[in-house]
Amino acid sequence: MARMTMSDAIVEAIRQEMRNDESIYMLGQDIGQFGGPMQATKGLWEEFGDSGRMIDAPISEEAMIGTAVGAAMTGSRPIVDLMFAEFLALTVTPLAHEGGSIGFKTRGEVTVPMFVRAKCGIGPHHGHAEMMAGMLMSFPGVKVIMPTNPQDAYSLVRAAIRDEGPVVMLEHMSLLHARRAEVDLETTAEIGRAAVQREGNDVTIVASGLMVSRAERAAKTLAEEGIEAEIIDLRSIAPLDATTVVASARKTGAVVVADEAWPTAGPAAEVAHQVLRLTGGRDHIRFGFATSPHTPIPFSTELERAFVPSIEDIVATVRETLAP
Amino acid sequence: MTQTTEQLVELWQHMVNGRALDRAMCIHNPLWHEGRGEEASIVGAFHALGEGDVAAPHFRGATTLGLMRGLSPETVAAGVFGKEASVTRGAWRGDINALPSREVIGMFSGSLGTTVAYATGAAMTIKRQGKPGVVVSSFGDGTSNSGVIAESWNMAKMLSLPIVYICQNNQYATSLHADDAIAGGTVSDRARAYGMPTEDVDGNDVIAVAEAVARATDYAREHGPAFVQLMTYRMGGHYMSDPEVYRSREEVEEWQLKDPIVRLEKVLAEEHGWDAEAGAALRAEIEAQYEALVIAAKDAPAPDPETLSASPYVSDLAAAKEGN
Ligand SMILES: Cc1ncc(C[n+]2csc(CCOP(=O)(O)OP(=O)(O)O)c2C)c(N)n1
């Protein structure tokens, strides 16, 4: 056990995996001596720099991802630090359209074991907040994970590095250097499993990233009104753990999705789709959405604040959803 | 082309304004990307453009260009802070796109590189409409590695578009040195391979920059794309929290001696009867003026998401909140 931030936990998981597996190398902008954007690779240069396993990349995102796909197909396990999720849009053909499908198209003869890190979300950087989640979700074969606490970050990173297909991790910038917590270094996770973060019988709040902690605080307010919310932290956006969501939805009869990503064809839409698909609409489950508007993310701090669902938005959405 | 005293003083004024805004932002804005040292490259590249010409500056220079194009410093500062008084009323970032308009193209996301394609597209418009204009498109040495630039250059040459590409080579892409990142010699060597006439110019000499760009625009208006590389240096860090572990103090000090503003002042004093004392006093006055207006911009009213009826963002937000 060790106390660490989410950022520390990610670095620690990468360090462990790199020690265990020589085929892993890391490519990213400023990940060398600089220590990685927002200290994303702190200490890794000191340990692996000499062996050439930490490569400072030029501003060539499509080639960073494209070469990683090629390296992964031929026996390496690349980790790409893409810095920000908005750059995923620059890399879609090699990463998603082709990289996600290679395992399928070769019937598993050729796999693409690569792990991509990308920061997103509103936070200290005041920019680069886009998540691109919906875009990634539409490509079969691409996994997308989003940890919200140090333990999950550690466990999911280990699983992602060992995965045989491309896995993208969205790292929320407001969480990376937030609270420290104990991390069990022996634990690994299964990608595709959500976690029930809080139990309750009245409403299911489905969230990921920063929205999980906002949902937790919303749940406290709601509890004072006698509404007990169950909170599901998706952890894995693709594949999405519909089983856990539906079981909770059947129990509570109401699902509120709290999501910072664009609402169209994204995680919120997919949660609703999965619940409807698995219940056929027969369970009379109510839906509410505390999501961002379908607009580009504005720049002004105040407009940005209005863009991202707040604790009050989540509380209000729950109330509206449960109203008779 | 010899410049008159009046023209040189105008160049001096633009550089001093840009520096004054820069200095004040360094003091009052922790998210600022400093451009100190690159004023000659920015001002020299754009000052000769006239009506019908399009400027597409590198992000480190967007605010200086805004000032050159007659935007009030108050409006520029409001844009950097995303305030109501900015050109976009808080919707977009004035530090990387101070004056979005048909004559000025800047970044429209945090992703570098695409601006060069947009600039190339602007040259297509000019050519298609049979108008006499030219486009000047600046980008950093780091950005030059972005794939979209190669594709844009090819198209510009294929179609003989009226555009001048300028690499504002400050030698670093955050922490990665241009000598390590740029294969095939220099960016000029690459430009030559596309058949563009190229010039390598001392980017801290505003007179040399202005003259070289004028030669390039003359060529581009007649024959198609041309390229100029400006060798310069950013005296400050990449951004305000840059630990600058990747370069030595000696290197920075060496370049401080090549300060482009001091250099022009020397020419003005030696050859144009410039009153150095009066100039220094004026500079101090401008700096004080900019600091005051930057403080005011920081404290200025934020845009109100509910009342900004001119913004499509607000109606979308309202619609999204109503669940439409
Ligand atoms: C596509 C893309 N990749 C990476 C970044 C992150 N980033 C922002 S500025 C920068 C360095 C840019 O270097 P250069 O083009 O030389 O401009 P300079 O900062 O030196 O003015 C990087 C890597 C980005 N904004 N966009």
Side-chain angles (χ1 to χ4, degrees):
Chain A
M1 300 288 272
R3 277 186 76 72
M4 35 180 93
T5 61
M6 204 162 97
S7 185
D8 297 336
I10 293 166
V11 173
E12 188 54 33
I14 292 172
R15 188 197 326 273
Q16 297 297 339
E17 294 302 306
M18 285 185 81
R19 281 181 187 161
N20 292 339
D21 185 347
E22 282 286 327
S23 71
I24 300 170
Y25 71 91
M26 194 164 180
L27 185 66
Q29 284 160 35
D30 305 300
I31 65 169
Q33 197 186 6
F34 189 75
M38 286 177 79
Q39 306 196 324
T41 55
K42 198 174 168 210
L44 295 178
W45 171 256
E46 287 71 12
E47 181 165 350
F48 302 105
D50 284 345
S51 59
R53 293 170 72 192
M54 299 290 295
I55 305 170
D56 263 328
I59 303 176
S60 307
E61 283 75 13
E62 192 177 359
M64 288 163 70
I65 294 291
T67 59
V69 171
M73 282 196 278
T74 52
S76 296
R77 298 188 93 84
I79 300 174
V80 179
D81 186 320
L82 204 58
M83 211 182 281
F84 297 111
E86 70 160 289
F87 306 155
L88 288 163
L90 296 163
T91 71
V92 167
T93 295
L95 173 69
H97 179 40
E98 297 181 359
S101 71
I102 289 167
F104 176 85
K105 287 171 177 163
T106 63
R107 293 191 167 262
E109 275 306 307
V110 182
T111 58
V112 184
M114 62 187 276
F115 172 49
V116 180
R117 303 180 57 185
K119 294 182 209 27
C120 64
I122 54 117
H125 209 88
H126 193 42
H128 300 300
E130 295 82 0
M131 293 187 173
M132 306 286 163
M135 175 190 83
L136 293 173
M137 290 171 82
S138 70
F139 290 93
V142 180
K143 298 190 177 86
V144 183
I145 56 176
M146 190 171 198
T148 61
N149 59 65
Q151 180 68 63
D152 281 353
Y154 180 82
S155 309
L156 284 167
V157 168
R158 295 191 91 182
I161 294 173
R162 294 174 191 193
D163 200 280
E164 285 302 317
V167 181
V168 178
M169 177 165 72
L170 299 175
E171 304 178 15
H172 200 292
M173 286 190 270
S174 288
L175 301 178
L176 278 173
H177 298 283
R179 32 180 188 172
R180 282 173 193 280
E182 291 291 336
V183 176
D184 177 353
L185 300 178
E186 300 307 317
T187 307
T188 53
E190 196 183 323
I191 295 173
R193 282 285 171 86
V196 177
Q197 205 68 28
R198 180 188 198 275
E199 304 219 10
N201 288 314
D202 300 322
V203 60
T204 301
I205 305 179
V206 181
S208 40
L210 179 67
M211 290 302 118
V212 175
S213 52
R214 292 202 172 170
E216 280 166 2
R217 291 174 61 190
K220 284 195 186 127
T221 306
L222 291 163
E224 288 163 17
E225 301 170 16
I227 299 170
E228 290 301 333
E230 180 144 300
I231 298 174
I232 294 181
D233 176 356
L234 283 178
R235 298 199 289 198
S236 165
I237 292 172
L240 194 139
D241 184 356
T243 311
T244 299
V245 175
V246 168
S248 176
R250 284 203 166 111
K251 182 173 81 168
T252 63
V255 174
V256 166
V257 186
D259 197 25
E260 189 180 340
W262 282 311
T264 304
E270 185 60 14
V271 166
H273 165 72
Q274 291 289 348
V275 173
L276 278 171
R277 205 169 60 86
L278 292 173
T279 63
R282 281 182 292 273
D283 292 341
H284 304 293
I285 293 163
R286 298 178 181 209
F287 283 96
F289 298 93
T291 50
S292 302
H294 198 54
T295 68
I297 303 179
F299 175 61
S300 149
T301 312
E302 289 72 13
L303 295 179
E304 186 185 63
R305 202 174 290 136
F307 175 89
V308 182
S310 63
I311 296 163
E312 295 72 33
D313 290 335
I314 299 171
V315 169
T317 307
V318 168
R319 283 191 197 126
E320 278 163 30
T321 308
L322 296 184
Chain B
M1 187 175 85
T2 16
Q3 314 262 358
T4 63
T5 306
E6 208 177 24
Q7 285 167 331
L8 293 183
V9 171
E10 195 182 303
L11 293 174
W12 178 86
Q13 182 75 56
H14 287 320
M15 291 203 288
V16 167
N17 290 348
R19 172 84 56 98
L21 181 78
D22 214 302
R23 183 182 160 275
M25 284 295 173
C26 287
I27 302 169
H28 300 285
N29 181 357
L31 297 169
W32 181 245
H33 290 74
E34 190 176 358
R36 188 166 44 97
E38 298 183 44
E39 292 88 351
S41 294
I42 299 158
V43 171
F46 294 108
H47 100 287
L49 292 186
E51 212 174 310
D53 296 335
V54 175
H58 183 42
F59 79 93
R60 210 182 287 280
T63 49
T64 302
L65 182 80
L67 296 171
M68 289 170 73
R69 287 271 163 135
L71 213 54
S72 80
E74 286 81 3
T75 309
V76 175
V80 175
F81 291 111
K83 299 294 186 168
E84 172 69 27
S86 69
V87 174
T88 67
R89 305 180 78 189
W92 188 235
R93 306 174 51 170
D95 57 337
I96 61 178
N97 198 342
L99 180 54
S101 68
R102 287 200 162 185
E103 293 81 37
V104 181
I105 291 170
M107 287 173 78
F108 281 106
S109 82
S111 303
L112 290 161
T114 47
T115 302
V116 178
Y118 306 151
T120 307
M124 282 192 193
T125 298
I126 289 171
K127 178 120 184 171
R128 287 168 55 79
Q129 294 180 342
K131 290 191 173 156
V134 69
V135 182
V136 172
S137 163
S138 284
F139 44 86
D141 49 286
T143 308
S144 74
N145 286 314
S146 164
V148 71
I149 291 186
E151 297 184 20
S152 299
W153 285 6
N154 197 56
M155 236 184 253
K157 182 67 188 176
M158 182 181 118
L159 301 172
S160 304
L161 300 179
I163 183 164
V164 175
Y165 295 107
I166 293 183
C167 180
Q168 191 172 318
N169 186 348
N170 66 10
Q171 305 178 43
Y172 289 95
T174 310
S175 68
L176 186 61
H177 199 276
D179 288 350
D180 297 323
I182 292 164
T186 63
V187 185
S188 309
D189 293 321
R190 290 186 186 172
R192 239 169 257 128
Y194 283 84
M196 290 191 261
T198 73
E199 266 197 72
D200 289 303
V201 180
D202 178 345
N204 283 25
D205 177 351
V206 70
I207 300 170
V209 174
E211 291 178 354
V213 175
R215 280 191 292 276
T217 51
D218 284 349
Y219 176 90
R221 285 179 207 274
E222 285 294 312
H223 309 288
F227 174 85
V228 181
Q229 169 164 258
L230 305 175
M231 293 306 299
T232 183
Y233 197 78
R234 67 166 151 71
M235 293 187 198
H238 173 67
Y239 52 1
M240 295 315 290
S241 53
D242 184 349
E244 293 184 59
V245 286
Y246 52 85
R247 64 183 189 181
S248 68
R249 229 190 32 226
E250 292 72 36
E251 182 183 297
V252 179
E253 280 165 3
E254 192 187 312
W255 277 91
Q256 268 162 356
L257 300 175
K258 302 178 191 168
D259 185 321
I261 296 182
V262 176
R263 192 148 154 196
L264 178 63
E265 284 172 342
K266 209 165 154 216
V267 174
L268 279 166
E270 284 169 6
E271 296 167 27
H272 297 266
W274 168 262
D275 181 342
E277 238 168 76
L282 183 56
R283 225 171 118 175
E285 198 181 298
I286 293 168
E287 282 177 2
Q289 176 207 335
Y290 271 79
E291 186 168 1
L293 69 87
V294 162
I295 292 171
K298 193 177 181 181
D299 296 336
D304 178 354
E306 304 299 333
T307 57
L308 254 178
S309 58
S311 162
Y313 169 69
V314 172
S315 50
D316 290 348
L317 177 65
K321 282 192 167 162
E322 279 160 25
N324 293 326

